[in-house]
Amino acid sequence: MRKTKSVDRDLSPEKTAAILDGAIQEFLVKGYAATSMDRVAAAAGVSKATVYSHFQDKEALFTALIQRLACQKELFNSEKLQAIQDDPALVLRAFALEMLDKIQADPHLLTFVRLIIGESSRFPALARAFVQNVEKPSIELLTQYLASRPELRLPDPEVAARAFIGTIVHYVILKDLLHSGDLVPMERDRLLDNLLHLIIRPAS
Amino acid sequence: MRKTKSVDRDLSPEKTAAILDGAIQEFLVKGYAATSMDRVAAAAGVSKATVYSHFQDKEALFTALIQRLACQKELFNSEKLQAIQDDPALVLRAFALEMLDKIQADPHLLTFVRLIIGESSRFPALARAFVQNVEKPSIELLTQYLASRPELRLPDPEVAARAFIGTIVHYVILKDLLHSGDLVPMERDRLLDNLLHLIIRPAS
DNA sequence: GTCTATACCGCGATAGAC
DNA sequence: GTCTATCGCGGTATAGAC
């Protein structure tokens, strides 16, 4: 009776990890509907029956996988913001560059976002987990920083934070997610420089 | 020899329209992989063989459908911006409200964007068509307007336009697309008011 | 606990009647 | 030009050996 309702108890944890690792590849590349449990099993190096002994069905496997990824993907570590507290321009630039670099460095990240958005109708709980673990901390972190700098004279730090993040996210969506950077060209540094000028304005 | 390579010539155009209409429902709701040609045929009220006589295969039907939708969905008509040229604050607010209203009014629009993003890996050409027909005109229209108002003293009108649009798009993505408005709450009017203050700043 | 083998269904695409 | 009927394949999920 010590068992929880989780299916994973009393099953080899290494197989569970192998299945999840295999499932990452398949689901991220193919999407939910186009991913077959046969290919997941093959990618994990186990039989299909083993997959079904660790996870109730395809939907449960997908949900467990996305929940795990949503917890792993954190766009920002608050340490960097604490490090250079002096110049807001440097902090904001570092904030944006870290975001852009994380996307460049982790090729899974874009695919993950694509999957979250694409399946957000059929799996709204996963979309919410993504916002809770990735978007919300980013917004709150930047909001708190901006609010801690009264010399910026921002009437609403949270709106400023959303504008800053929203601008960069929209830029990434057009350029990388939708593969259309050439259709609406914009240099990264030009965007960052002038975006900073919108937030950090000269004292009036 | 007057035939083009298009499959549609010499086939009843009304059936073609019926098939496309049926396909809209199925593809938008289920996504590409989970949509079956049987259901498309049923929704269109024709047989599956008829579908295949009008479109080469599933991929061709999907591509034709998305291309058509991408041309229909225009977020903005430039007339409204011309109408109230006086006060930039009114123009920008009208711009944002029209965008938000269009999303509220057309329930297909969000689903369409979800599909475009979700399939942007497997159908990059469709993602590019979406940017070309929907995003690009919006950015260019707002950029031109902002550039035509030198009294705003914007160092880079295009970056300002992207910040404005990006902020709103990001807001809609969190609230409506990802169903997470309650996780990161923000009143619409509060966002708009303070976003305007970032663009239209008091003369320094 | 993990495997092989299989049941059962629905998929995309086509052949042939009319 | 559109239909009905069907083919062949690959899907999810499970039963039973070990």
Side-chain angles (χ1 to χ4, degrees):
Chain A
M1 275 309 171
R2 42 168 280 274
K3 272 196 199 174
T4 68
K5 67 176 176 181
S6 169
V7 196
D8 288 335
R9 304 287 158 247
D10 301 339
L11 293 178
S12 88
E14 53 195 2
K15 298 265 180 181
T16 306
I19 293 169
L20 285 172
D21 285 342
I24 290 178
Q25 300 294 329
E26 297 298 320
F27 278 120
L28 286 188
V29 172
K30 295 277 193 172
Y32 177 77
T35 289
S36 76
M37 295 297 264
D38 292 76
R39 296 178 64 97
V40 169
V46 300
S47 76
K48 194 162 53 167
T50 300
V51 175
Y52 277 96
S53 73
H54 285 247
F55 299 94
Q56 192 189 356
D57 54 15
K58 184 181 178 181
E59 208 172 298
L61 171 60
F62 182 67
T63 301
L65 174 69
I66 299 296
Q67 297 275 13
R68 202 185 65 157
L69 284 181
C71 297
Q72 289 175 353
K73 309 279 181 189
E74 287 192 354
L75 278 181
F76 311 98
N77 43 356
S78 50
E79 304 151 10
K80 287 204 180 172
L81 284 197
Q82 312 285 3
I84 357 170
Q85 267 192 345
D86 342 342
D87 188 356
L90 291 181
V91 174
L92 286 182
R93 181 175 288 273
F95 190 96
L97 287 180
E98 188 181 351
M99 200 168 156
L100 293 168
D101 284 352
K102 280 245 172 74
I103 291 166
Q104 289 290 333
D106 182 2
H108 278 353
L109 189 53
L110 273 182
T111 318
F112 178 63
V113 172
R114 225 176 255 127
L115 191 57
I116 288 284
I117 294 180
E119 301 296 338
S120 57
S121 273
R122 285 167 288 275
F123 298 94
L126 301 183
R128 290 172 61 80
F130 172 78
V131 172
Q132 184 80 41
N133 289 284
V134 179
E135 289 271 3
K136 188 180 180 185
S138 306
I139 294 175
E140 288 180 346
L141 179 65
L142 187 54
T143 298
Q144 285 206 344
Y145 173 77
L146 291 177
S148 74
R149 314 299 310 225
E151 73 271 25
L152 293 177
R153 300 175 186 275
L154 291 171
D156 194 321
E158 180 169 349
V159 170
R162 283 171 171 265
F164 191 81
I165 293 174
T167 304
I168 296 171
V169 167
H170 185 244
Y171 175 70
V172 169
I173 287 178
L174 290 186
K175 186 165 74 72
D176 300 319
L177 206 81
L178 298 180
H179 309 102
S180 304
D182 56 321
L183 295 181
V184 279
M186 169 61 66
E187 289 261 338
R188 189 197 68 170
D189 289 339
R190 178 182 159 196
L191 182 78
L192 289 186
D193 288 341
N194 292 283
L195 176 57
L196 288 187
H197 290 147
L198 285 178
I199 307 289
I200 306 172
R201 41 181 138 181
S204 56
Chain B
M1 274 308 170
R2 41 168 281 275
K3 272 195 199 175
T4 67
K5 68 176 178 182
S6 167
V7 195
D8 288 333
R9 304 289 158 244
D10 300 341
L11 293 177
S12 90
E14 54 195 3
K15 299 263 180 183
T16 306
I19 293 169
L20 284 172
D21 285 342
I24 289 178
Q25 300 293 329
E26 297 298 320
F27 279 120
L28 285 188
V29 172
K30 295 276 192 173
Y32 177 77
T35 289
S36 75
M37 296 296 264
D38 290 77
R39 297 178 64 98
V40 168
V46 300
S47 75
K48 193 161 56 165
T50 301
V51 176
Y52 277 96
S53 73
H54 285 246
F55 298 94
Q56 192 189 356
D57 53 15
K58 185 182 179 181
E59 208 172 296
L61 171 59
F62 182 67
T63 299
L65 174 69
I66 299 297
Q67 297 275 12
R68 202 184 66 157
L69 284 180
C71 296
Q72 289 175 354
K73 308 278 180 189
E74 287 192 356
L75 277 181
F76 310 98
N77 43 357
S78 50
E79 304 151 10
K80 287 203 179 174
L81 284 198
Q82 312 287 2
I84 356 172
Q85 267 192 344
D86 344 342
D87 188 356
L90 292 180
V91 174
L92 286 183
R93 183 175 286 274
F95 191 96
L97 287 180
E98 187 181 351
M99 199 169 157
L100 294 168
D101 285 352
K102 279 245 173 71
I103 291 165
Q104 290 290 334
D106 182 2
H108 278 353
L109 189 53
L110 274 181
T111 317
F112 178 63
V113 172
R114 227 176 252 127
L115 191 56
I116 288 285
I117 293 180
E119 301 296 339
S120 57
S121 274
R122 285 167 287 277
F123 298 94
L126 301 183
R128 291 172 61 79
F130 172 77
V131 172
Q132 184 82 41
N133 289 284
V134 179
E135 289 271 3
K136 187 180 180 184
S138 306
I139 294 175
E140 288 180 346
L141 180 65
L142 187 53
T143 298
Q144 286 207 342
Y145 173 77
L146 291 177
S148 74
R149 314 299 309 225
E151 72 272 26
L152 293 178
R153 300 175 186 276
L154 292 171
D156 194 321
E158 179 168 350
V159 169
R162 282 171 171 266
F164 191 81
I165 293 174
T167 304
I168 297 171
V169 167
H170 185 244
Y171 175 70
V172 169
I173 286 178
L174 290 185
K175 187 166 74 70
D176 300 320
L177 206 82
L178 298 180
H179 308 102
S180 304
D182 56 319
L183 296 180
V184 278
M186 169 60 67
E187 289 261 338
R188 189 198 68 171
D189 289 340
R190 178 182 159 196
L191 183 78
L192 289 186
D193 288 341
N194 292 282
L195 176 57
L196 288 187
H197 289 146
L198 286 178
I199 306 289
I200 305 173
R201 43 178 136 182
S204 57

